[in-house]
Amino acid sequence: MRYIIIGSGAVGGSIGGRLHESGRSVVLVARGAHYEALRDTGLRLMVPTGTLTLDVPVVARPQDVELRADDVLVLAVKTQDSVAALDAWSASPVTGGGTAGERLALVCAQNGVENERLALRRFREVYGVCVILPSTHLNPGEVVAPCGPHTGALVIGRYGTGTDGTARRIADDLEKAHFLAPVAADVMRWKYGKLLGNLANVVEAVCGTASDAMERDLVARALAEGAAVLEAAGIAYASGAEIAELRSGTVDPQPIAGDRTRGSSWQSLARGAGSIETDYLNGELVLLGRKHGVPTPVNAALQHAARESVHLGREPGSLTAAELSRRITESGTG
């Protein structure tokens, strides 16, 4: 199989780079300065054992690659960019007839739980991945993946109907490329568990860190709301202990000179990306809370702070946990 990595930032660049290094056929999809750097000098993938310079084929648009029947599309963009990417790629023709949406498998290697639903409207064969892959993309052409001995844990399963041979083949390729890749019939249970963990992303982004006492308190309150919402909605989720056990001793942060791994939301603000995925992380719990009558004032305030930071072009650390706590209290529901 050939892997088309749609969105070659921190997660996509790590997956695509490692697959290419292991001998798999890979095409990266990128845009702007990142595309130009990948095209001109290759992908610089920094891992604990050193810096890999990988000459991976790269394209900027679906029209730039001739899709084959054995291709697997790996969607690794942020959720706010998924619809545009899915629309562009699902309509792309495949050699021998038909379109990508009709003939090719699509793998959602993304945070949140909305992407698979969006994809299934456009693709017949959709696979979810619970992504446990600390990595950073701040500079064009460069991705830092500081964990070992496995670069990440990628729990994969067919969306809606368990597992199949395609999921197992993809998992086998990932296992040979320095990833832990268990195949799970309940992949969305893992993704909902990861969703709870991702509620801290916005605190790190807007406050600059999530490690001080007041910031940890905000995170704890957001997690408590999230767990209450999922319980009310009857949605099963992997526990934090399960996720920690999965990665313990296999996906461990290891020192890389000059690197301090940050969350994806922090990276979006730092790069001035113009958007942030909080609406599909904390915002997912706000949505479910409204549907099931569970108040979510902390997550709603964090969601608003993220939107505000993007709108005003703020850098990470522009708000304090004390200011966020004040806003929650003044809303009358915190």
Side-chain angles (χ1 to χ4, degrees):
M1 296 187 291
R2 181 176 65 167
Y3 293 89
I4 313 294
I5 312 294
I6 304 168
S8 300
V11 170
S14 297
I15 294 173
R18 282 303 209 182
L19 284 169
H20 174 85
E21 181 203 14
S22 71
R24 300 304 180 268
S25 180
V26 174
V27 176
L28 301 178
V29 182
R31 58 188 178 183
H34 189 43
Y35 162 75
E36 293 171 359
L38 293 172
R39 178 196 62 196
D40 295 343
T41 59
L43 171 65
R44 281 172 44 86
L45 179 60
M46 300 174 66
V47 296
T49 55
T51 298
L52 308 172
T53 301
L54 305 169
D55 187 18
V56 191
V58 60
V59 300
R61 309 172 301 163
Q63 300 94 310
D64 297 334
V65 60
E66 185 175 334
L67 294 178
R68 311 185 310 218
D70 63 346
D71 285 340
V72 173
L73 305 183
V74 179
L75 188 65
V77 300
K78 299 290 196 304
T79 306
Q80 65 268 25
D81 298 320
S82 285
V83 168
L86 289 165
D87 284 346
W89 286 89
S90 63
S92 297
V94 177
T95 300
T99 64
E102 295 166 337
R103 298 189 59 192
L104 301 186
L106 180 118
V107 177
C108 295
Q110 301 161 285
N111 286 332
V113 294
E114 180 65 14
N115 297 289
E116 289 78 8
R117 294 183 73 249
L118 295 172
L120 200 59
R121 297 177 188 274
R122 297 160 175 85
F123 284 81
R124 289 181 180 174
E125 309 293 330
V126 175
Y127 299 81
V129 175
C130 175
V131 178
I132 304 167
L133 176 49
S135 51
T136 304
H137 164 57
L138 294 176
N139 301 310
E142 182 177 288
V143 171
V144 181
C147 288
H150 291 83
T151 299
L154 304 172
V155 183
I156 184 170
R158 185 181 172 101
Y159 180 60
T161 54
T163 65
D164 61 12
T166 299
R168 288 186 287 271
R169 289 175 64 198
I170 295 169
D172 183 61
D173 282 349
L174 291 170
E175 290 275 6
K176 294 172 181 175
H178 300 278
F179 292 101
L180 184 67
V183 178
D186 57 351
V187 67
M188 295 310 294
R189 187 180 75 88
W190 285 92
K191 294 202 71 166
Y192 274 102
K194 177 71 186 314
L195 174 65
L196 289 183
N198 286 139
L199 298 181
N201 288 19
V202 65
V203 176
E204 180 195 37
V206 299
C207 297
T209 175
S211 60
D212 292 343
M214 289 193 69
E215 294 153 4
R216 292 199 305 270
D217 178 66
L218 274 178
V219 171
R221 293 164 67 189
L223 286 172
E225 284 183 1
V229 166
L230 295 185
E231 294 289 346
I235 296 173
Y237 59 93
S239 68
E242 286 180 273
I243 293 174
E245 182 180 3
L246 174 68
R247 63 178 296 180
S248 177
T250 58
V251 184
D252 290 335
Q254 300 182 6
I256 291 181
D259 173 66
R260 182 180 177 186
T261 302
R262 301 283 197 167
S264 56
S265 298
W266 187 97
Q267 294 177 50
S268 291
L269 290 187
R271 289 199 312 270
S275 66
I276 197 168
E277 62 186 335
T278 313
D279 281 346
Y280 299 97
L281 302 178
N282 306 75
E284 179 71 26
L285 277 306
V286 173
L287 182 155
L288 287 172
R290 290 168 179 167
K291 284 181 66 176
H292 296 279
V294 179
T296 57
V298 176
N299 282 288
L302 293 174
Q303 182 184 10
H304 181 269
R307 289 177 176 171
E308 181 182 83
S309 293
V310 170
H311 178 70
L312 297 177
R314 288 175 173 155
E315 295 182 353
S318 297
L319 290 174
T320 66
E323 168 64 16
L324 291 173
S325 295
R326 183 187 64 79
R327 293 184 183 190
I328 296 165
T329 300
E330 289 182 352
S331 73
T333 54

